[in-house]
Amino acid sequence: MFARLVYESFRRQKRRKLLAGAAITLGVTVATAMIAVATDIGDKINRELRTIGANLVVTPQEDTLDVEIGGINLKPPSDGAFLNETDLPKIKGTFWHNNITGFAPMLPVNVTLEREGREDNITLLGTYFAKQISFGKEKFTTGVRSTYPWWKVSGMWPEDASRDILLGERLATALSAKAGDELTLSGRPLRVSGILSTGGAEDDQVVAPIALAQQILGKPGAVRRVYVSALTKPEDALARRDPKGMSGAIYDRWYCSPYPQSIAFQLQEAIPNSHAEQIRQVAQNEGAVLTRIEGLVFLVTLAALVASALAVSAAMATSIFERRAEVGLMKVLGAGKLGVASVFFAEAALLALIGGFVGFVAGGLLAHQIGRSIFNLQITIAPVLLPVILAVAVMVTFAGSAVAIRKAVSLDPVHALRGEV
């Protein structure tokens, strides 16, 4: 009998049920798409933001010393401390090694440019371009071509094992040099393989393989600083805490979270005698972007579900008004408030499940379209999200139906059977 009542309700009120189902489907479609975007787009947007450059820098620990006695600063000179190049592969041995998308060591040295009987002092910056490095069984390629993808080269990128160099575009203009020319730097003839444009200080410098800079400096394996590009999560209260004052469980949570601070801490552990810190402006800007996107997704989802609940409420109220005689008859025949309510809640649940499933499928298609047209990325929706979406649909439908069902169970059967409100 119970199932027949529910069936007859759908058969006799097809239009009302269709409108309510459409409202649920639309709300769930938007919610599904937004949840899919929020859960799948975070890392992808983070990877896109990594194209703005490194967000962590590793320097020698001596550079952090600031000793002053009698008004005299005894801090070691900036060019007197170096990291060891052989320690750099250990970066891929940290806990969050999969989040580290690349790193580039830097070694600036002063060189003498000998040309047309003149000698000019310029800066040569040694680095990796696209060098293959191995750590254990893992092999990976890293360098400025991955950490600074906006660097543009007119000509050819040098090989890391070569003696070719890049000239910054402003320096090349001043020297009237072009790709293919040969320059003599500190007594070494070098070939210009390309002209580099970065929009930064590198436009006035020579950029070369780091082995060449080490040879000129006379310090094999020396590295002045390392710029690291890592996928991180926005800072929160835990991220800003000092790990030295944390208890075991909280420390583990902090250490195992991809905060810029925790990844920097692990870099210090991996590279002896080093100090790592986030490039704060870059990290904060990334966190602000991700936080705002998540906030926008939450507001859109909430608005869609509230609108869906209001539409369901209106449809259910109209449906119950039209069926007040039926409600009165059920009460006369002995149905209690729970029995009457269970019929309407069963109808609402069935509507929610149907609308939720259709909305889940439509939301997946919408998420795919959003990812392709707005973010130019592929968004995939996990099947495990279906039970969550169905549960959300049921809760929204019940929330929208509650007021109307409450009025139904409180109807006086005498007035209901007479057609009175």
Side-chain angles (χ1 to χ4, degrees):
M1 187 64 183
F2 182 86
R4 185 178 179 84
L5 286 173
V6 175
Y7 169 75
E8 288 297 326
S9 169
F10 278 83
R11 188 179 69 84
R12 295 178 181 178
Q13 291 188 315
K14 295 178 182 178
R15 185 182 175 188
R16 301 293 181 196
K17 294 298 188 287
L18 185 61
L19 290 174
I24 297 168
T25 299
L26 289 175
V28 171
T29 297
V30 175
T32 302
M34 292 298 100
I35 292 173
V37 168
T39 56
D40 196 54
I41 207 69
D43 285 345
K44 294 176 180 177
I45 290 177
N46 210 330
R47 288 185 182 276
E48 288 296 309
L49 291 174
R50 290 279 32 82
T51 62
I52 66 176
N55 54 348
L56 298 168
V57 60
V58 185
T59 57
Q61 191 175 42
E62 289 88 338
D63 286 2
T64 63
L65 298 176
D66 193 4
V67 181
E68 188 171 301
I69 300 178
I72 300 176
N73 193 339
L74 302 180
K75 180 178 179 178
S78 61
D79 60 350
F82 300 95
L83 301 172
N84 195 329
E85 185 183 359
T86 58
D87 292 324
L88 300 190
K90 297 177 183 177
I91 291 175
K92 278 294 187 174
T94 60
F95 181 83
W96 286 107
H97 64 278
N98 288 328
N99 281 46
I100 295 175
T101 60
F103 60 86
M106 300 289 182
L107 180 63
V109 296
N110 293 322
V111 296
T112 302
L113 172 63
E114 302 166 9
R115 189 174 185 183
E116 299 176 353
R118 294 179 52 191
E119 292 187 355
D120 296 311
N121 292 323
I122 59 175
T123 299
L124 181 144
L125 181 66
T127 188
Y128 291 166
F129 295 106
K131 186 168 183 177
Q132 189 177 65
I133 292 187
S134 60
F135 180 80
K137 296 182 179 180
E138 181 181 2
K139 292 184 178 180
F140 57 96
T141 301
T142 188
V144 293
R145 296 184 67 174
S146 59
T147 55
Y148 299 103
W150 74 85
W151 283 18
K152 303 298 181 184
V153 171
S154 176
M156 299 290 293
W157 285 92
E159 297 291 333
D160 284 287
S162 72
R163 297 178 67 82
D164 293 344
I165 60 174
L166 296 176
L167 277 186
E169 61 176 358
R170 285 194 294 266
L171 179 60
T173 300
L175 298 176
S176 299
K178 61 183 183 303
D181 290 352
E182 285 198 1
L183 297 178
T184 302
L185 300 178
S186 296
R188 295 169 174 81
L190 305 173
R191 187 179 76 91
V192 178
S193 66
I195 307 301
L196 175 66
S197 173
T198 69
E202 296 82 11
D203 288 349
D204 295 305
Q205 299 174 350
V206 174
V207 182
I210 197 168
L212 180 59
Q214 293 165 347
Q215 182 183 4
I216 294 173
L217 189 61
K219 293 183 180 293
V223 173
R224 188 70 191 88
R225 65 184 70 89
V226 183
Y227 289 99
V228 180
S229 183
L231 303 177
T232 61
K233 65 181 294 186
E235 290 184 352
D236 54 22
L238 178 61
R240 300 183 185 94
R241 293 183 58 178
D242 185 355
K244 296 179 182 178
M246 295 181 185
S247 62
I250 296 181
Y251 174 81
D252 290 343
R253 180 184 165 197
W254 177 86
Y255 191 90
C256 296
S257 298
Y259 298 124
Q261 297 90 332
S262 58
I263 295 179
F265 183 80
Q266 292 166 27
L267 291 174
Q268 290 181 182
E269 292 181 322
I271 302 176
N273 304 314
S274 67
H275 172 75
E277 62 184 359
Q278 62 174 314
I279 303 174
R280 187 158 294 275
Q281 184 176 5
V282 174
Q284 287 181 339
N285 287 342
E286 289 177 9
V289 169
L290 291 175
T291 300
R292 288 171 184 173
I293 290 175
E294 291 173 356
L296 177 61
V297 167
F298 173 77
L299 289 177
V300 171
T301 303
L302 183 62
L305 294 178
V306 169
S308 179
L310 291 175
V312 170
S313 177
M316 186 64 73
T318 305
S319 174
I320 289 175
F321 178 79
E322 293 175 350
R323 297 168 61 188
R324 60 192 184 280
E326 179 184 336
V327 173
L329 183 59
M330 284 192 289
K331 288 193 170 186
V332 168
L333 294 176
K337 291 184 177 181
L338 182 60
V340 174
S342 63
V343 173
F344 290 107
F345 275 121
E347 295 175 11
L350 187 57
L351 271 176
L353 294 176
I354 296 173
F357 181 80
V358 176
F360 177 80
V361 175
L365 297 175
L366 179 60
H368 176 76
Q369 184 63 29
I370 290 173
R372 187 175 60 180
S373 61
I374 297 179
F375 298 104
N376 196 26
L377 295 170
Q378 180 70 30
I379 295 179
T380 56
I381 182 168
V384 295
L385 190 60
L386 178 58
V388 177
I389 294 300
L390 294 179
V392 170
V394 170
M395 288 189 291
V396 169
T397 307
F398 280 7
S401 305
V403 174
I405 294 175
R406 182 180 178 182
K407 289 182 179 179
V409 299
S410 62
L411 283 175
D412 187 303
V414 175
H415 292 159
L417 289 172
R418 288 179 179 176
E420 299 174 0
V421 180

